[in-house]
Amino acid sequence: VVGSINTDMVVGANKLPKPGETLIGHKFFMNSGGKGGNQAVAAARMGGEVSMVANLGADVFGDSAIAKLKDEGVNCEDITRDKDSPSGVAIINVDDKGENQIVVAPGANANLNTDIVSAALERISPSSIVLLQLEIPIESVTRAVELCQQKGCRIILDPAPAQALPESVYKGTYLLTPNKNEAELLSGISISDRDSVTYAAEKLLRFGVTNVAITLGPQGVFLANGESKQFFEATSVSAVDTTAAGDCFSGAVAAGLSQGFSLVEGIRSGILASSICVTRHGAQEAMPYINEVNSL
């Protein structure tokens, strides 16, 4: 996993605030988060052998994040410490329906530069699966894709927070996993039904990505590639917090692929894992273990 690590500061409330509105919440807690860290824990709990490439501040948040990842069995040798910037934090509001608003202060994540990425990925095995997100500089994402292409690694990219991507990133990506909003931004197509999600996926495939899995929350997942297109139904659950559902999905898919699953099997595993994740509060703490998913 090459990506971000944050400390999440979460406030629960009956509803999400409107601009300029002040609400009284009913709970507060801090969690280990960041899309990179979340994916690493998700993949590790699903049986993956995981290494993390990241940049943290030389502060108590950074110390805590590394300790947490090590406890999860994640290799942290390629996590660097930044003396000039604090560790990243995220401010998260969650309502009683499980919907959320998130503002991220990247801190040291913004300094995860191409030199750090290059040094870490020089040693990567050609059989590796590499998870990427967009909470680090796009130059570092592009460099990671370039190096992984050279070594024949499969890249899974969660394009969040959504932004324009270089053509080389699309062409180097094995699996793109946008949610509905991200797929709309990247494709320029408004998604309202099965036809429109199909059009959006087809456009993303034309950009050069090998496979695209658009995650649609309770409507499931739409997987498309050059050979086929398929809808997967979601598992019906009562969600309490959707904060890390996409990270859980990507991490579980990656772990499945690393254990010999087909992509279709990996998608099904990711859906099951995410269905457990959204019934729990938090980010990394909400990630299910492989035995829980297998029991479904």
Side-chain angles (χ1 to χ4, degrees):
V1 182
V2 182
S4 59
I5 298 175
N6 293 322
T7 298
D8 293 346
M9 300 182 185
V10 185
V11 177
N14 294 331
K15 64 176 184 176
L16 297 177
K18 299 175 182 177
E21 182 181 17
T22 299
L23 299 176
I24 301 298
H26 48 65
K27 58 192 169 187
F28 169 78
F29 47 92
M30 291 201 307
N31 291 318
S32 300
K35 295 190 71 63
N38 295 346
Q39 289 181 345
V41 171
R45 290 189 177 185
M46 288 295 291
E49 183 180 336
V50 183
S51 295
M52 183 85 211
V53 181
N55 191 45
L56 286 164
D59 51 29
V60 65
F61 289 144
D63 295 341
S64 176
I66 289 179
K68 167 67 175 175
L69 290 171
K70 287 182 176 179
D71 284 345
E72 297 286 348
V74 175
N75 182 336
C76 297
E77 292 179 2
D78 289 309
I79 296 179
T80 53
R81 305 300 293 271
D82 193 324
K83 295 180 180 180
D84 299 321
S85 298
S87 297
V89 297
I91 309 301
I92 302 174
N93 298 322
V94 181
D95 70 14
D96 288 344
K97 296 179 181 179
E99 292 300 323
N100 62 72
Q101 294 174 331
I102 304 174
V103 177
V104 177
N109 292 306
N111 296 333
L112 180 58
N113 58 41
T114 55
D115 290 340
I116 297 172
V117 171
S118 297
L121 294 184
E122 281 298 325
R123 302 186 301 277
I124 196 169
S125 165
S127 62
S128 297
I129 296 167
V130 178
L131 282 160
L132 294 166
Q133 335 76 36
L134 302 179
E135 289 183 341
I136 60 174
I138 190 64
E139 296 82 6
S140 298
V141 172
T142 303
R143 180 59 175 156
V145 171
E146 178 185 355
L147 290 170
C148 291
Q149 272 192 294
Q150 293 172 5
K151 297 212 170 190
C153 300
R154 284 180 288 180
I155 294 169
I156 298 176
L157 172 61
D158 181 354
Q163 59 181 281
L165 296 173
E167 182 180 344
S168 62
V169 170
Y170 283 112
K171 290 185 175 180
T173 295
Y174 170 74
L175 175 65
L176 189 72
T177 61
N179 64 20
K180 174 180 175 289
N181 293 336
E182 292 150 7
E184 288 180 334
L185 188 148
L186 294 174
S187 69
I189 295 173
S190 177
I191 295 174
S192 58
D193 54 23
R194 289 200 170 194
D195 285 341
S196 55
V197 75
T198 300
Y199 298 148
E202 289 174 340
K203 187 166 183 180
L204 293 172
L205 290 173
R206 289 198 294 273
F207 292 161
V209 64
T210 305
N211 301 279
V212 57
I214 300 177
T215 59
L216 302 166
Q219 281 73 52
V221 174
F222 180 66
L223 174 66
N225 54 44
E227 288 74 46
S228 64
K229 299 174 182 65
Q230 183 175 354
F231 270 97
F232 297 81
E233 290 188 4
T235 303
S236 180
V237 297
S238 296
V240 299
D241 187 354
T242 61
T243 302
D247 303 327
C248 179
F249 175 80
S250 295
V253 171
L257 292 176
S258 75
Q259 296 163 51
F261 285 16
S262 69
L263 181 55
V264 166
E265 292 168 334
I267 296 293
R268 290 185 175 132
S269 177
I271 290 171
L272 291 174
S274 299
S275 75
I276 298 172
C277 176
V278 299
T279 64
R280 300 170 176 172
H281 289 286
Q284 293 177 23
E285 290 80 0
M287 300 302 172
Y289 291 92
I290 189 170
N291 62 304
E292 296 178 286
V293 174
N294 288 343
S295 71
L296 297 180

